[in-house]
Amino acid sequence: MSKLVTRNLSMTFGGLVALDGVDLDVPEGEIRGVIGPNGAGKTTLLNAITGVNQPTDGEVLLDGEVISGLKASRIAARGLARTFQTSQLFAGMTVLENVMTGLHARMGTSPLAAAFGLPSVWREEEDATEKAMSALDFVGMQQFADRDGGELSFGQQRVVEIARALVREPRVLLLDEPAVGLSMTRVSELDALLRRIREERGVTIVMIEHVIRLVMGVCDRITVLSSGRKIAEGTADEVTQNPEVIEAYLGRELDA
Amino acid sequence: MAVGLVFLATLPFHANPYLLFVGNLAMLYIVLTVGLNLLIGYTGMLAFQNAALFGVGAYGCAVLRVTLGLPYWLSLPAGGLIAMIVGVLVALPALRLTGLYLALATVAFAQFTLWVFLHWYSVTGGPAGIQMHPVDFGVLASTAEYGLYYLTMAIMLAVVALTWNLVRSRIGRAFVAIRESEVAAEALAIDLTRYKTIAYAISALYAGVAGGLFAAMLGIVVPESYDLFQVIAQFAMVVVGGIGSVWGAVIGAVGLIWVQEALRAFKEFQEIAFGGMILLTVLFLRGGAMSLIKRHIKGWDEPLRRIPRKR
Ligand SMILES: Nc1ncnc2c1ncn2[C@@H]1O[C@H](COP(=O)(O)OP(=O)(O)OP(=O)(O)O)[C@@H](O)[C@H]1O
Ligand SMILES: [Mg+2]
């Protein structure tokens, strides 16, 4: 069954066509890779899906329901979670509080109840602390719970960002270059983590990634973008043998 | 802290009227600064309308009490509510602005409000303002000064406690998330419009209530209390005390009222001192006085969650 679908998704900035009629169909439980040269429109695709930018044309469907046109927070509330190309972990908050912020929409405390510290608030906070700790445990970052979000290394921030997205129990998880800045061993850990997210949490994943080793290893299928258009789609073997893909990457090794 | 509370509670019995006045002033500025810090420090909105809303609360309270004859216990909260409504009305267009444009628009609003105070004679009395007779606390207090002092103290304590609770909840975390990254906050299903409006509304309510207390304390409401200096004074308290800290707001308010009173004879030096303190803090002590406390008092923590973590 199709989990996430885009139809003719298009995005222009002024005169620049950043996304040109992209059709995507990600089945439930798949790990989909999105690759393409710099400026191909990968991040723009994620932004159009999550409502950061309203697409200029086309539509996005989640479980068969149109979500394009809603504002970003509404789309997120429908069950889309994402991470960002540059870490967006909140400084001035501990790692634990960052992950608890991920639970925002799953909590119901009103400003008045919070201000008066009603017993229901205590219970909900306790529950949130527990959930957030278990999400940190899942990604192996629980020992950093009390550190400030801004203190972590770049790679650690990326992993906590994944925990913050996961704690929301999303239907689809969108990752924008999660392996950027990670060492080789860290990349292997990420590979294993992504598989566990799918197996144990049943989350469908769409991952933009430049680290070809990761994409080729973990993704079921790969979509290739170039100049805002989808130029190929298929298994790792299929796309690496596609002449158009080789052409788009001209001079870049695909099998690094 | 307990010592401070006892000192505050017994101040009327061992202090001269002037010291009582300063204590009262500091407490109502705590109310103002804690509210403004929610907006500027926690939510990251560089907005300056609170000086004007302080005035709206003062005028609202005075007009209802003097012109319409409402008792103080009604006109005080009503002034706060009026300020909150005006604050939300300001928030609606301001929601789409951030950074420099928000700062400019809200300073312009403060200037416009000042113009209204000065020129809407039939309501505000123009430059002469509105005289207010002392509040009668009946059997509760022997003089208006004592009564007002304890009323301000009760409101201040309530505001600090309620705000302290508020920031240690999903609401406080949503505020800080918005300050740190609006796109990331939205990606966590945090509705920017809703939470920014909440921050504007609460800080406006606090400013309005503080205005009503200020009006009663001075016994007169005049436009120049709510001018650009008021904008700078409140901003300085937030920055010098510590951005994004409830206790920082308390320290900033008390500290700067002390500086202001020490320089009472030289009004122009007050402005220079406040401006200079903002500058020095921004240059050398980003987190304000609070960052010193965090550095030197071990285990000091101002968490954004309710349940303490066992270590
Ligand atoms: N908000 C924006 N306003 C204007 N142009 C934009 C905006 N966002 C992206 N673009 C442009 O759209 C094109 C695609 O950018 P995008 O960030 O989607 O590329 P990408 O595939 O993610 O590249 P990279 O691998 O470098 O991250 C680029 O030419 C970029 O300059
Ligand atoms: Mg990108």
Side-chain angles (χ1 to χ4, degrees):
Chain A
M1 207 196 103
S2 297
K3 196 73 185 168
L4 182 70
V5 170
T6 72
R7 289 198 194 121
N8 188 37
L9 202 61
S10 304
M11 186 82 226
T12 48
F13 296 110
L16 180 90
V17 183
L19 220 52
D20 190 2
V22 172
D23 294 317
L24 210 64
D25 188 330
V26 186
E28 171 131 40
E30 184 169 300
I31 301 183
R32 170 68 60 95
V34 177
I35 63 170
N38 291 106
K42 305 180 296 294
T43 299
T44 305
L45 174 67
L46 232 61
N47 286 345
I49 291 174
T50 54
V52 170
N53 301 117
Q54 291 296 335
T56 35
D57 201 5
E59 56 182 3
V60 182
L61 294 90
L62 179 65
D63 282 322
E65 286 175 51
V66 178
I67 56 168
S68 40
L70 298 175
K71 57 179 182 176
S73 57
R74 300 284 315 137
I75 291 178
R78 291 289 187 93
L80 278 195
R82 72 172 290 185
T83 65
F84 295 84
Q85 188 165 351
T86 52
S87 166
Q88 300 286 337
L89 211 60
F90 306 128
M93 244 193 226
T94 65
V95 166
L96 174 63
E97 287 157 4
N98 261 280
V99 180
M100 287 174 79
T101 310
L103 287 163
H104 180 84
R106 304 178 64 83
M107 303 175 75
T109 295
S110 71
L112 268 182
F116 286 98
L118 302 184
S120 63
V121 180
W122 281 85
R123 279 196 298 276
E124 204 180 48
E125 284 280 299
E126 212 154 11
D127 185 47
T129 309
E130 219 164 88
K131 280 188 180 138
M133 280 312 286
S134 98
L136 282 172
D137 199 31
F138 188 79
V139 302
M141 291 294 289
Q142 73 281 38
Q143 70 271 34
F144 296 97
D146 293 322
R147 296 274 288 277
D148 189 274
E151 279 176 19
L152 300 191
S153 78
F154 197 64
Q156 290 168 333
Q157 293 193 20
R158 311 306 305 270
V159 181
V160 174
E161 246 188 307
I162 294 178
R164 188 174 72 184
L166 266 187
V167 79
R168 304 182 46 220
E169 298 182 18
R171 301 197 236 179
V172 179
L173 176 61
L174 304 142
L175 304 168
D176 197 346
E177 303 197 20
V180 129
L182 295 191
S183 67
M184 274 316 190
T185 38
R186 291 281 173 202
V187 170
S188 309
E189 284 170 23
L190 183 60
D191 186 303
L193 177 61
L194 294 176
R195 290 172 200 274
R196 281 173 50 228
I197 291 172
R198 179 197 15 212
E199 258 88 82
E200 296 173 30
R201 307 270 168 133
V203 178
T204 307
I205 300 174
V206 177
M207 172 174 65
I208 297 173
E209 196 38 80
H210 275 304
V211 178
I212 294 301
R213 189 172 72 105
L214 180 63
V215 181
M216 297 298 166
V218 76
C219 295
D220 302 303
R221 288 162 68 78
I222 295 163
T223 301
V224 188
L225 293 185
S226 178
S227 307
R229 288 190 314 109
K230 183 167 93 174
I231 58 166
E233 195 165 77
T235 62
D237 287 340
E238 284 164 10
V239 296
T240 43
Q241 278 154 24
N242 185 311
E244 246 196 289
V245 175
I246 296 167
E247 160 106 27
Y249 272 92
L250 212 65
R252 288 185 59 143
E253 321 141 68
L254 263 182
D255 49 355
Chain B
M1 185 146 135
V3 176
L5 274 181
V6 170
F7 174 75
L8 269 185
T10 56
L11 194 63
F13 302 107
H14 51 68
N16 60 39
Y18 172 66
L19 213 59
L20 197 64
F21 171 88
V22 176
N24 203 340
L25 192 64
M27 291 194 299
L28 75 85
Y29 265 94
I30 290 177
V31 174
L32 271 172
T33 311
V34 166
L36 187 60
N37 204 355
L38 271 185
L39 191 59
I40 294 185
Y42 281 87
T43 318
M45 300 286 104
L46 203 51
F48 296 102
Q49 74 285 1
N50 269 29
L53 297 174
F54 182 43
V56 170
Y59 274 100
C61 175
V63 168
L64 290 175
R65 183 146 178 265
V66 176
T67 318
L68 298 180
L70 287 186
Y72 187 64
W73 63 267
L74 263 180
S75 59
L76 175 69
L81 280 180
I82 293 170
M84 183 159 108
I85 291 166
V86 175
V88 171
L89 290 178
V90 176
L92 292 181
L95 282 174
R96 290 194 269 141
L97 304 177
T98 50
L100 184 61
Y101 295 102
L102 178 61
L104 286 174
T106 49
V107 168
F109 169 77
Q111 286 301 93
F112 168 74
T113 314
L114 184 59
W115 185 87
V116 172
F117 293 159
L118 273 167
H119 293 93
W120 196 12
Y121 279 88
S122 56
V123 175
T124 65
I130 304 173
Q131 294 270 355
M132 215 158 99
H133 48 282
V135 180
D136 183 7
F137 285 89
V139 292
L140 290 175
S142 53
T143 72
E145 283 78 23
Y146 282 16
L148 207 58
Y149 181 88
Y150 284 115
L151 177 65
T152 308
M153 184 169 153
I155 290 176
M156 181 272 286
L157 291 175
V159 157
V160 171
L162 293 175
T163 312
W164 177 239
N165 280 342
L166 184 75
V167 298
R168 291 183 306 152
S169 74
R170 73 173 192 135
I171 317 293
R173 294 191 290 270
F175 288 160
V176 174
I178 291 172
R179 177 188 78 200
E180 291 298 319
S181 166
E182 293 198 355
V183 262
E186 279 191 292
L188 300 177
I190 293 169
D191 186 337
L192 298 185
T193 309
R194 183 179 155 84
Y195 284 93
K196 285 185 188 179
T197 307
I198 290 173
Y200 275 102
I202 297 173
S203 79
L205 175 66
Y206 290 2
V209 171
L213 292 170
F214 191 56
M217 195 178 95
L218 294 186
I220 186 168
V221 184
V222 284
E224 68 253 30
S225 302
Y226 313 101
D227 59 5
L228 210 54
F229 177 64
Q230 182 64 241
V231 174
I232 293 170
Q234 292 184 19
F235 184 64
M237 290 173 188
V238 169
V239 172
V240 173
I243 290 270
S245 158
V246 172
W247 299 111
V250 174
I251 292 171
V254 174
L256 268 74
I257 285 299
W258 181 77
V259 171
Q260 175 179 299
E261 290 309 311
L263 297 174
R264 175 149 292 276
F266 328 92
K267 175 135 189 182
E268 59 275 31
F269 284 121
Q270 291 177 349
E271 297 181 24
I272 296 170
F274 282 19
M277 286 174 81
I278 294 177
L279 198 64
L280 289 176
T281 311
V282 170
L283 286 177
F284 301 113
L285 198 66
R286 274 292 165 80
M290 224 37 232
S291 65
L292 289 179
I293 292 183
K294 274 182 191 145
R295 204 176 309 153
H296 296 295
I297 299 183
K298 246 177 77 95
W300 175 273
D301 194 11
E302 216 168 307
L304 292 166
R305 60 182 191 295
R306 187 97 217 189
I307 313 291
R309 291 247 309 134
K310 34 202 175 300
R311 296 176 186 253

